[in-house]
Amino acid sequence: MGNFSKSFPSAVQCVFLLMIGLVFSVCVEASDRDRIHDEGPPRDEVHERLHDSSHQQGNKVWSWLPPGEKVQRVLSFRDHNTRVVFLGLVLLGVVSGITGTFLLLRKRSLLSDSVSHATLPGLAIAFIIFELVTGKGNSLLWLLLGGIVSGLLAMASVIYLPMVSKIKSDAALALSLTFFYGIGVVLLSVIQQIPTANASGLEYFIYGNAATLTTGDVRLIGAVAVVCLLVCLFLFKEFSLLCFDSGYTRTQGYSAIGLDAGLMSLIVLVSVVGLQAVGLLLIMALLIIPAVAARFWAKRLFSVLLVSGLIGGLSCFLGVLLSSLYPRLPTGAIIVLTATSFFVLSQCFGSYRGLAHRWLERRKTQRRLLMQQFLRRIFDVQEKHCAKSLHLESEQSCCEKAEPLDIAFIFEGRSWSRSRFERVVRRAARGGWIRLIEGGMLMLTDGGMRLARHYARQHRLWEIYLIRYADVAPSQVHHDVERIEEVAAPEIVREIENLFDSELKCRNMPAEPHEV
């Protein structure tokens, strides 16, 4: 409960800040559009606007919403450019989410940041060479090839530099990122001084510009996506072994270095083809955020891959949709914000590790333990009221001799609040474990007696075990067992029963090892 109370406010703050930033950007864009639209209206429209001012005041609240025709046009994919951008970025999001999952499990999340920044000098060098040779340095194919080469060099330096020197992996990552990015910045300044160079398209690789995607770019992204997905499918077992236990991978006859190089090559390939869409500064987020969010929804690796690809594709789809409806919003940044929103929602409401799911499971466990303690308390009191000890008699005779007990006396034995105790009593009555009698009395039912005996038996076995084998004082053992029961699995309980099997043959219910 403590971890949830510490993590939930921060998650709420992240959601609140993201939503406030998005709404603020949208409102600023809408106000600028209205201001430009309203400057210098024709004279014949002045009287009409004054006449309809009251009507406009009523609709001003919804002025930030895009026109209905524009929404319909974007969602129907009428424009060729809209179809191209949507298809290209959704493919990029799906393949980024799937390959980024292996990168995350390999514990090399920041490697994508180093690789994306390291592509800048490759782009600059390719531009300079082909500008001097052919006079057309902004050829997309050759720029991407240059980025792939420099990205592979950066990846190799990060992976293999710690193997051949005393440099740690985090230091190698920092050295690679700063060195390659510094060279790229210097080369960009050199390009600006070339008289015949037209480097107007290079800034798109830094910040991204999805609107410039062409049909050829989408074909390239589609080809890379197909290759990466096929490699991940055919090498799924090998990549899984590499991510979870590289040493075991070598014992199975696989080359860990070769598999690692192949996986990192896929990351470089995805990073380079995504530069023009989201930019080298944001491609890391598209690789990592969907994979992190998917961990809150699934446990098995294949399911995580599917969920990660789905989140990546939805993030790109919604990001392109928002940037299409509000053209002033940058597409790459909106995609990353959308993916971050998915991450925050997954962290809060994920079905596997989400905060809400964990809170519900913790609350369910707490309710179950309270019911166990309540029934066990009734059994202990009932045992004292019997003429003979209940553990010497059969269950049927115990149920027949069950007597009504005072609810107030049961409450005195627990350090619960009155409201909590009343809730437990009502739940036990609804569950059929007890029967309420007039005059503030209760009585265990047949099912309640069997369940209470079961809980008391397990609790006493744990107490005996701790007293005999863990040297816990009898006065403290009761509270220690209640903490153990919160985390004890059924298999452990069966092992404890087997340990005392000889004693349990003599009497099914062990005696209470301490005073109630």
Side-chain angles (χ1 to χ4, degrees):
M1 196 69 181
N3 294 333
F4 173 76
S5 61
K6 293 179 181 178
S7 303
F8 186 73
S10 61
V12 173
Q13 291 173 5
C14 292
V15 175
F16 181 75
L17 291 177
L18 286 173
M19 295 301 104
I20 288 296
L22 183 59
V23 172
F24 178 76
S25 301
V26 170
C27 291
V28 169
E29 185 273 335
S31 62
D32 291 342
R33 182 186 61 194
D34 293 340
R35 178 178 55 81
I36 296 174
H37 179 72
D38 292 338
E39 285 181 354
R43 292 182 178 270
D44 55 353
E45 295 181 3
V46 174
H47 179 71
E48 182 180 355
R49 290 195 177 188
L50 291 176
H51 180 72
D52 297 336
S53 60
S54 60
H55 180 71
Q56 291 178 356
Q57 288 293 333
N59 294 332
K60 191 174 182 180
V61 179
W62 308 101
S63 61
W64 60 274
L65 292 175
E69 296 180 358
K70 187 174 184 179
V71 175
Q72 184 180 5
R73 187 178 187 87
V74 172
L75 293 179
S76 60
F77 304 104
R78 296 179 186 175
D79 299 331
H80 174 74
N81 186 57
T82 302
R83 294 194 297 268
V84 167
V85 174
F86 269 98
L87 179 59
L89 287 179
V90 168
L91 287 175
L92 179 63
V94 171
V95 71
S96 297
I98 292 176
T99 55
T101 302
F102 289 111
L103 184 66
L104 176 68
L105 296 177
R106 193 74 176 98
K107 297 181 180 180
R108 288 177 176 168
S109 301
L110 285 178
L111 180 61
S112 60
D113 191 23
S114 176
V115 169
S116 62
H117 283 74
T119 56
L120 184 59
L123 296 173
I125 293 175
F127 182 89
I128 293 174
I129 292 176
F130 285 93
E131 179 66 25
L132 296 177
V133 174
T134 63
K136 296 180 180 179
N138 54 1
S139 175
L140 178 62
L141 178 60
W142 296 110
L143 291 177
L144 295 181
L145 289 177
I148 290 175
V149 172
S150 61
L152 290 174
L153 291 176
M155 178 202 69
S157 64
V158 172
I159 295 177
Y160 300 110
L161 191 59
M163 297 181 180
V164 298
S165 65
K166 295 183 178 181
I167 298 176
K168 301 297 182 181
S169 58
D170 56 343
L173 184 66
L175 287 173
S176 174
L177 190 150
T178 54
F179 174 74
F180 281 92
Y181 189 68
I183 293 178
V185 172
V186 172
L187 291 176
L188 285 181
S189 63
V190 172
I191 292 174
Q192 294 176 357
Q193 297 177 4
I194 299 177
T196 59
N198 182 15
S200 59
L202 289 181
E203 66 272 11
Y204 293 154
F205 293 97
I206 300 176
Y207 303 105
N209 190 1
T212 61
L213 289 178
T214 63
T215 305
D217 300 335
V218 174
R219 291 196 185 99
L220 179 61
I221 294 175
V224 171
V226 170
V227 170
C228 293
L229 293 178
L230 289 177
V231 172
C232 292
L233 179 62
F234 286 111
L235 298 179
F236 175 75
K237 181 181 71 174
E238 291 78 4
F239 283 164
S240 302
L241 292 175
L242 178 67
C243 292
F244 291 105
D245 194 344
S246 58
Y248 182 73
T249 304
R250 289 188 289 269
T251 62
Q252 297 299 308
Y254 300 111
S255 174
I257 297 178
L259 289 174
D260 202 6
L263 178 59
M264 295 304 113
S265 299
L266 294 181
I267 299 299
V268 173
L269 197 59
V270 174
S271 301
V272 170
V273 297
L275 292 179
Q276 190 175 5
V278 296
L280 60 88
L281 298 178
L282 298 177
I283 187 63
M284 167 193 165
L286 198 57
L287 284 166
I288 301 303
I289 294 179
V292 177
R295 296 291 302 276
F296 292 100
W297 294 101
K299 182 178 181 180
R300 300 178 63 87
L301 178 56
F302 191 77
S303 300
V304 173
L305 290 174
L306 294 179
V307 176
S308 180
L310 178 63
I311 293 177
L314 284 177
S315 300
C316 291
F317 180 84
L318 295 178
V320 175
L321 179 63
L322 289 174
S323 62
S324 300
L325 298 177
Y326 302 98
R328 293 178 180 269
L329 299 180
T331 305
I334 293 298
I335 289 175
V336 174
L337 287 177
T338 305
T340 305
S341 301
F342 275 114
F343 163 71
V344 175
L345 292 176
S346 301
Q347 185 185 27
C348 294
F349 305 106
S351 59
Y352 174 53
R353 295 181 177 180
L355 296 178
H357 176 74
R358 291 167 58 186
W359 180 80
L360 291 175
E361 290 294 326
R362 191 176 292 112
R363 181 176 175 83
K364 186 186 301 182
T365 301
Q366 185 180 19
R367 288 162 62 93
R368 177 177 54 82
L369 292 175
L370 288 176
M371 183 59 66
Q372 290 182 11
Q373 295 170 7
F374 174 71
L375 295 177
R376 195 175 67 241
R377 169 63 180 171
I378 297 178
F379 181 85
D380 293 339
V381 175
Q382 184 73 60
E383 187 179 44
K384 283 193 169 184
H385 280 71
C386 289
K388 296 180 180 180
S389 181
L390 291 179
H391 63 265
L392 299 177
E393 304 176 6
S394 64
E395 290 186 1
Q396 185 62 32
S397 62
C398 295
C399 294
E400 292 176 352
K401 291 187 177 183
E403 300 177 357
L405 302 175
D406 189 358
I407 296 179
F409 185 75
I410 302 296
F411 173 70
E412 292 176 358
R414 304 301 306 177
S415 58
W416 294 346
S417 63
R418 172 63 67 176
S419 59
R420 172 178 288 187
F421 180 76
E422 291 177 353
R423 288 196 301 269
V424 175
V425 171
R426 289 194 298 268
R427 286 176 45 229
R430 288 194 303 267
W433 313 127
I434 63 173
R435 184 169 61 253
L436 298 177
I437 307 174
E438 294 182 358
M441 307 291 285
L442 61 82
M443 178 184 293
L444 284 171
T445 62
D446 294 347
M449 176 63 77
R450 288 190 293 270
L451 191 62
R453 285 173 59 85
H454 173 71
Y455 290 150
R457 182 172 181 269
Q458 287 187 354
H459 185 82
R460 293 179 185 183
L461 287 176
W462 273 111
E463 289 178 334
I464 296 173
Y465 175 79
L466 293 181
I467 291 174
R468 293 186 183 180
Y469 296 96
D471 295 331
V472 179
S475 60
Q476 301 293 329
V477 69
H478 177 74
H479 301 286
D480 292 341
V481 170
E482 287 189 345
R483 289 194 294 266
I484 291 175
E485 287 176 336
E486 297 182 4
V487 296
E491 295 80 8
I492 301 178
V493 176
R494 285 194 292 269
E495 291 182 7
I496 296 295
E497 292 178 350
N498 295 332
L499 183 63
F500 298 101
D501 183 62
S502 59
E503 297 184 20
L504 294 177
K505 288 180 179 178
C506 299
R507 54 182 186 180
N508 186 48
M509 174 61 66
E512 182 71 50
H514 64 86
E515 292 296 331
V516 180

